Amino acid sequence: VLPLPDFTGAYCEQRARYFALVRLEPFNSMQSIINYVKWNGGLSLGTTLGNRQLWQVGLNFLMLAPAGFLLRALWRVNWWQVLLLGIGFSLFLELTQLTGIWFIAPCPYRVFDVADLMANSSGALFGWLVGGIPIFYHILKRGLTEEA
């Protein structure tokens, strides 16, 4: 959401004319990543580190992973509740971008992307899965000490 652009001049008119503000293709990010690798000589460390779309998807995935982890490890929240919370929070973020911070900005300046919803929500679910490791370890440890 930040930093805010300079809204002076014809910024909003140009933005509305040249940019799609809503992307509804669910896997458009994956296609962009594949195209980048093809156009830059194949898969290598350089093309991986230089792929901005890959960074965006990866960081969107990781953004809600700690929340999924904590929701399971500390509060024992079910996987479907974590998924719904991930979708809800991600939808809130995407709508914030689409509305220009809930109409504070004179026009939208970021893109609402369904692929971001998918990456954020699956990251929350991944965090939930990883959050099960300490629970499993604790149960296993307690079970072994009770038998001894």
Side-chain angles (χ1 to χ4, degrees):
V1 175
L2 295 174
L4 291 173
D6 182 13
F7 291 111
T8 58
Y11 177 84
C12 292
E13 291 174 21
Q14 291 173 350
R15 184 91 180 143
R17 188 177 312 137
Y18 297 112
F19 295 101
L21 297 176
V22 178
R23 290 189 189 140
L24 298 177
E25 306 94 19
F27 296 103
N28 67 341
S29 297
M30 294 299 138
Q31 189 59 49
S32 296
I33 292 168
I34 291 167
N35 289 341
Y36 182 88
V37 169
K38 284 181 186 176
W39 296 333
N40 289 287
L43 191 60
S44 70
L45 183 61
T47 58
T48 302
L49 293 177
N51 192 332
R52 294 180 68 190
Q53 190 67 38
L54 181 63
W55 279 98
Q56 180 180 345
V57 171
L59 292 174
N60 274 327
F61 179 82
L62 292 175
M63 183 169 64
L64 293 184
F69 178 89
L70 292 173
L71 286 168
R72 181 173 187 181
L74 298 180
W75 295 290
R76 314 282 186 185
V77 177
N78 294 327
W79 70 268
W80 58 270
Q81 292 170 317
V82 169
L83 183 62
L84 287 177
L85 286 168
I87 291 169
F89 186 72
S90 182
L91 184 61
F92 170 77
L93 293 176
E94 293 300 317
L95 288 174
T96 299
Q97 293 178 166
L98 181 64
T99 59
I101 311 178
W102 300 100
F103 308 105
I104 293 173
C107 63
Y109 60 94
R110 305 249 331 183
V111 175
F112 177 101
D113 196 344
V114 173
D116 291 350
L117 283 170
M118 293 171 56
N120 291 336
S121 303
S122 58
L125 199 54
F126 173 77
W128 182 88
L129 288 169
V130 172
I133 294 171
I135 295 169
F136 179 73
Y137 175 75
H138 178 70
I139 291 169
L140 185 64
K141 184 178 176 184
R142 186 173 33 165
L144 291 175
T145 55
E146 288 176 4
E147 291 176 11

